[in-house]
């Protein structure tokens, strides 16, 4: 099943970065009636700049909205923070995976009510349309971030403003520990 494969792809991206989350099945066992594919245990921030609105087209998996690479300043509260180029940080409490193109008829008929239900119960979140989405959908709901792939690592932040990184990258940035393990000292 293509949909399940893309849910696993999302879960793998979160696991590779050490982001704690509950799967849809976990939420159902705990009695949640409306369940996104993943509920984050710790909200993340995703920094994006507004997409260009001049040409109404669509986003594909190789075209995310223009991004900023400057993390938000811890405790900045949005004023004078580190986001540049009119960028914003979207708070993401949950993520839903859609192995399809996000077309306006489908979004309005099926997905919007579902996603707004998650917003009402769980706060702001994101949906990944793995095969892209129509540009005009992004501007509809401020609490629903539309993506066409997992965001670039330099645009995803923990609540304290530090970037979310792959666990392998984190280990590579601590050479003292790696050297100590090889030498037998400090083990």
């Amino acid at each position: 099943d293509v949909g399940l494969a893309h849910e696993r792809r999302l879960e793998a991206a979160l696991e590779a970065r050490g982001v704690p989350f509950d799967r849809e099945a976990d939420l159902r066992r705990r009695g949640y009636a409306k369940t996104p594919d993943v509920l984050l245990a710790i909200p993340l921030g995703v920094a994006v700049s507004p997409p260009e609105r001049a040409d109404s087209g669509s986003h594909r998996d190789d075209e995310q909205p223009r991004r900023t690479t400057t993390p938000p300043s811890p405790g900045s509260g949005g004023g004078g923070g580190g986001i540049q180029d009119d960028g914003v940080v979207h708070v993401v409490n949950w993520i839903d995976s859609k192995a399809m193109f996000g077309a306006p008829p489908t979004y309005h008929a099926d997905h919007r009510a579902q996603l707004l239900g998650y917003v009402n119960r769980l706060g702001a979140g994101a949906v990944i349309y793995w095969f892209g989405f129509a540009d005009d959908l992004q501007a509809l709901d401020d609490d629903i971030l539309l993506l066409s792939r997992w965001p670039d690592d330099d645009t995803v932040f923990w609540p304290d403003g530090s970037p979310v990184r792959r666990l392998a990258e984190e280990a590579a940035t601590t050479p003292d520990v790696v050297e100590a393990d090889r030498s037998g000292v400090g083990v």
Side-chain angles (χ1 to χ4, degrees), residues 32-175:
Y32 281 72
K34 303 284 184 182
T35 58
D37 292 317
V38 298
L39 176 61
L40 303 176
I42 301 170
L44 298 177
V46 178
V48 296
S49 292
E52 300 300 326
R53 298 276 183 220
D55 59 345
S56 181
S58 63
H59 285 289
R60 296 184 313 273
D61 62 356
D62 59 346
E63 295 178 339
Q64 288 289 71
R66 217 168 26 97
R67 303 188 177 290
T68 178
T69 57
T70 306
S73 299
S76 67
I83 300 302
Q84 298 175 347
D85 300 325
D86 298 323
V88 294
V89 175
H90 290 268
V91 174
V92 175
N93 294 292
W94 53 267
I95 306 172
D96 209 46
S97 173
K98 303 286 186 197
M100 63 183 342
F101 179 80
T106 305
Y107 184 80
H108 291 293
D110 300 325
H111 300 163
R112 190 171 190 216
Q114 173 193 16
L115 300 171
L116 288 173
Y118 301 156
V119 169
N120 290 336
R121 290 170 181 82
L122 307 169
V127 60
I128 300 177
Y129 282 106
W130 294 100
F131 298 99
F133 60 89
D135 281 347
D136 54 342
L137 295 180
Q138 185 71 324
L140 291 177
D141 301 296
D142 290 339
D143 289 330
I144 302 171
L145 175 62
L146 275 62
L147 301 167
S148 56
R149 61 181 165 82
W150 176 258
D152 297 333
D153 284 348
D154 61 352
T155 65
V156 183
F157 304 96
W158 296 108
D160 69 356
S162 63
V164 172
R165 300 266 188 243
R166 287 183 166 274
L167 296 177
E169 290 176 20
E170 189 67 34
T173 61
T174 55

